Amino acid sequence: MAAEMRRVGVIGGGTMGVGIAITAVRAGHEVLLRDIEEGAVEQGVAGVRRFLDRSVDKGKLAAAERDAALGRLRGVVSLEELRGCDVVIEAVPEDLALKQELLAQLDGVLADDALVHTNTSTLSVTAIASGSRRPERVVGTHYCNPAPLMDLVELVRGQVTSAAALAATRAYVEGIGKRVVACADVPGFIVNRFLVPFENDCIRALECGMGTIDSIDRAVKDGLGYPMGTFRLLDIIGLDIHRAVSLSLYDQLRDPRFAPPPLVDRMISAGHLGRKAGRGFYAYDEPGLHGS
Ligand SMILES: NC(=O)c1ccc[n+]([C@@H]2O[C@H](COP(=O)([O-])OP(=O)(O)OC[C@H]3O[C@@H](n4cnc5c(N)ncnc54)[C@H](O)[C@@H]3O)[C@@H](O)[C@H]2O)c1
């Protein structure tokens, strides 16, 4: 249970919004999950419920705790419903203009001292914050996917983020049980700055015949000690998402290691997007994202 129960708004009920909503509701906060239309909101709420049900089935969560957590969750369509939130976390698609516009709308809804967190992977927190009249309250909190299972959150201070907003954000993220690393507002922050070129190196190694999907994955796992092979990980991330993240970072850094190799485009054209499509580098019996 959170030290202090807060009213948390999560905007965007997709992959990350659902995961982030789970982290907040499990920690004892009241959560409003907002998407743009009723169907998307229902899907988001169903995603939270599915995850918590699976946690109960696996014996990781008591049924009563699941019920209490679901009782703290409400799906909403209107942004107005976020009035009174102490913290709002945006997880809408990776589009600068969309995020800036959303922050401008939030100016009219939130109290002056509310925190606004952005879960951007590749955009500048400072640029996103410039959409708000209160950019000093905007902080980057980059959750790793799947958010309920991964320990780390990168804490990103924009150019004008205040020390108070940064400290309050750290307290919130640590309060939901995550480990925080602070990092500068630079393209890819720390994790993607290392991970994305490494993933592309592995794909290029496959393309040039250095090894097979299996041998490269085994080398990464058993030789480098990573928890899973790169191709397994890329299948979870999704090839379309990997391509978009790679291109965004390549555009900003102009470092060829960030450019997605041609195999990525071919796989996307073939519909081999990863686990969600039932086929990526590996084949899967049933499409899905991740367990509880
Ligand atoms: N997927 C990942 O592995 C990952 C990891 C870390 C960070 N991120 C970042 O998280 C953010 C969201 O990514 P995702 O993968 O969850 O995307 P997604 O496409 O799965 O979900 C986005 C959701 O936002 C909704 N949406 C669009 N405009 C909206 C608005 N104005 N108000 C409310 N909802 C709106 C969409 O309907 C959709 O449900 C992006 O910035 C992405 O870069 C993604």
Side-chain angles (χ1 to χ4, degrees), residues 176-200:
I176 60 166
K178 298 294 185 193
R179 291 192 201 152
V180 169
V181 286
C183 71
D185 186 16
V186 293
F189 311 130
I190 297 173
V191 170
N192 279 335
R193 192 70 170 255
F194 291 143
L195 178 64
V196 172
F198 178 72
E199 289 167 333
N200 285 330

Side-chain angles (χ1 to χ4, degrees), residues 11-17 34-36 40 91-94 98-99 102 119-121 142-143 145 241:
I11 308 187
T15 306
M16 293 310 291
R34 191 252 173 167
D35 210 302
I36 34 180
V92 301
E94 191 77 333
L98 174 70
K99 289 181 191 279
L102 180 65
N119 184 51
T120 182
S121 307
H142 183 230
Y143 292 71
N145 184 17
I241 302 279

Side-chain angles (χ1 to χ4, degrees), residues 24-156:
V25 88
R26 284 278 284 116
H29 298 301
E30 179 193 351
V31 176
L32 298 169
L33 180 59
R34 191 252 173 167
D35 210 302
I36 34 180
E37 43 103 18
E38 207 57 63
V41 171
E42 275 165 23
Q43 259 188 14
V45 170
V48 175
R49 191 178 308 115
R50 227 178 3 256
F51 182 93
L52 296 178
D53 283 345
R54 252 183 280 143
S55 302
V56 172
D57 292 345
K58 290 185 175 182
K60 294 179 180 172
L61 184 71
E65 280 183 65
R66 171 202 52 202
D67 296 345
L70 289 173
R72 290 190 292 270
L73 174 72
R74 190 155 63 86
V76 299
V77 172
S78 163
L79 203 63
E80 271 297 318
E81 300 258 14
L82 301 191
R83 200 173 283 283
C85 281
D86 309 293
V87 180
V88 167
I89 306 156
E90 77 76 13
V92 301
E94 191 77 333
D95 174 326
L96 179 60
L98 174 70
K99 289 181 191 279
Q100 287 172 330
E101 192 189 316
L102 180 65
L103 263 57
Q105 290 168 359
L106 283 172
D107 282 340
V109 173
L110 298 179
D112 284 354
D113 61 351
L115 295 168
V116 177
H117 296 167
T118 171
N119 184 51
T120 182
S121 307
T122 65
L123 301 171
S124 156
V125 172
T126 308
I128 293 170
S130 72
S132 171
R133 271 188 285 109
R134 294 190 287 274
E136 68 283 356
R137 304 295 300 169
V138 180
V139 186
T141 53
H142 183 230
Y143 292 71
C144 299
N145 184 17
L149 303 183
M150 299 292 284
D151 273 345
L152 190 82
V153 173
E154 291 178 291
L155 178 73
V156 186

Side-chain angles (χ1 to χ4, degrees), residues 4-27:
E4 187 192 347
M5 180 175 164
R6 286 172 166 254
R7 194 163 209 235
V8 177
V10 177
I11 308 187
T15 306
M16 293 310 291
V18 166
I20 290 167
I22 293 165
T23 65
V25 88
R26 284 278 284 116

